[in-house]
Amino acid sequence: MTAALIIVLIVILMCIVYLLCLRGRANHPGLAELRRWKYAHRGLHDDQKPENSMAAFAAALEAGYGIELDVHLLKDGNLAVMHDSVLKRTTGAEGKIEDLTTGQLTDYKLGGTEETIPQFRQVLNLFSGKAPMIVELKPEKGNHAALCKAACEMMDTYKGPFCMESFDPRCVRWLRKNRPDIIRGQLSQNWIGISLPLPGILKWVMTYHLSTFYTKPDFIAYKYEDRKKFGTDICRKLWKIQGVSWTLRTKEEYDTAVKEGWIPIFENFRP
């Protein structure tokens, strides 16, 4: 066997292994209902109704949309809804949301309004049986297991369709192992070239979905502008994993994403 042939065989083997690594869990029966909806990113928010506020969630529900929202684990084990761990951008205050207790949430006003940080349970009570939710798990300080457990236990009494997703593969893996009944998704984007304290190899792994063998997601939630990646195409076209597109900010982006078969998460306009 010549050296050239050995190299060819190695390349073929590596390609096969890569393809197999990208195989997720396709056709969860609950996805059919989720595909029917449009999802308002952090609620239907504006200057008067801040992102991830009860007012923004109520507006989305009234308009007939599902929602995407972000969940953090509080110091006392309860769950709060906010995108950032750091409070500064959304409330103007110092500190991190993981260091707060439930009773302190109402002390923080969102976006200069009278809206305060919601408890996750409040949103569940509002949406139960009315519209679906895409719940993003936002772990911090290695609390991914506790966060996942608390969120799943709270969802046990929820009536209606939902799914869970995370940028952190450990959260998606936890769902796979402990709550395989829940529709789970891996959030990602093109991490290469982004200034983050992550090893280059990990950025490559996350960009091209090499964690899929570990998490076996039901859907891939990928940044709209970065969606034309061959790894994403393999997941969606070869292995038939559902795609979710975030965040669509124009009608043109929305129409393109829907035409391509993505579940749409939109912001700053009404499709």
Side-chain angles (χ1 to χ4, degrees):
M1 187 178 294
T2 66
L5 181 56
I6 292 174
I7 292 173
V8 170
L9 291 175
I10 291 173
V11 171
I12 292 174
L13 179 61
M14 291 175 64
C15 289
I16 292 173
V17 170
Y18 177 62
L19 291 177
L20 292 175
C21 282
L22 269 57
R23 186 172 185 175
R25 183 175 70 164
N27 299 318
H28 187 293
L31 281 170
E33 178 62 20
L34 295 180
R35 292 187 186 105
R36 295 181 53 247
W37 292 79
K38 310 163 186 175
Y39 297 86
H41 188 235
R42 307 176 197 171
L44 202 60
H45 56 89
D46 55 29
D47 291 341
Q48 288 73 46
K49 300 182 289 294
E51 66 175 60
N52 278 327
S53 68
M54 292 302 296
F57 297 141
L61 186 60
E62 183 179 358
Y65 300 126
I67 55 168
E68 180 271 352
L69 75 166
D70 310 279
V71 176
H72 290 260
L73 185 68
L74 295 172
K75 186 177 181 179
D76 59 8
N78 198 5
L79 298 172
V81 180
M82 177 173 280
H83 181 268
D84 304 358
S85 174
V86 176
L87 298 168
K88 188 68 175 180
R89 180 180 67 86
T90 52
T91 71
E94 301 298 327
K96 300 182 72 172
I97 193 165
E98 286 81 12
D99 296 326
L100 302 183
T101 61
T102 304
Q104 293 174 300
L105 295 181
T106 54
D107 296 335
Y108 294 85
K109 302 298 177 71
L110 297 172
T113 70
E114 292 304 305
E115 292 289 318
T116 58
I117 302 172
Q119 297 180 51
F120 185 39
R121 193 181 305 277
Q122 291 175 295
V123 185
L124 297 184
N125 291 338
L126 175 66
F127 266 73
S128 187
K130 300 171 185 173
M133 300 189 305
I134 299 175
V135 179
E136 181 180 344
L137 301 169
K138 306 283 282 191
E140 288 286 332
K141 303 178 183 177
N143 69 359
H144 64 280
L147 169 65
C148 292
K149 185 174 185 293
C152 289
E153 289 178 351
M154 201 168 287
M155 296 306 298
D156 283 340
T157 58
Y158 180 73
K159 306 298 182 183
F162 72 94
C163 62
M164 292 184 172
E165 64 179 10
S166 183
F167 280 105
D168 192 328
R170 295 173 300 176
C171 287
V172 189
R173 171 69 178 184
W174 191 97
L175 294 173
R176 176 191 175 188
K177 181 179 178 181
N178 297 282
R179 296 300 298 269
D181 54 310
I182 292 176
I183 301 172
R184 58 183 182 263
Q186 180 65 61
L187 271 159
S188 195
Q189 64 181 81
N190 181 10
W191 297 104
I192 299 169
I194 295 178
S195 179
L196 284 174
L198 294 174
I201 186 63
L202 183 56
K203 291 181 180 180
W204 197 92
V205 165
M206 295 302 297
T207 296
Y208 293 103
H209 306 294
L210 275 170
S211 67
T212 302
F213 81 96
Y214 176 70
T215 59
K216 296 296 182 190
D218 297 296
F219 64 91
I220 299 293
Y222 215 77
K223 187 176 181 180
Y224 173 80
E225 293 85 351
D226 298 339
R227 71 194 187 286
K228 297 296 187 180
K229 294 289 182 185
F230 64 85
T232 307
D233 287 339
I234 291 169
C235 287
R236 295 184 62 230
K237 296 177 182 179
L238 177 62
W239 299 123
K240 307 302 181 184
I241 302 175
Q242 177 63 50
V244 174
S245 187
W246 60 274
T247 301
L248 309 170
R249 293 184 170 88
T250 67
K251 184 64 163 55
E252 181 181 4
E253 290 180 352
Y254 174 86
D255 290 341
T256 299
V258 170
K259 184 178 180 180
E260 292 176 358
W262 300 84
I263 291 175
I265 299 176
F266 68 92
E267 186 175 59
N268 296 336
F269 78 103
R270 297 194 184 197

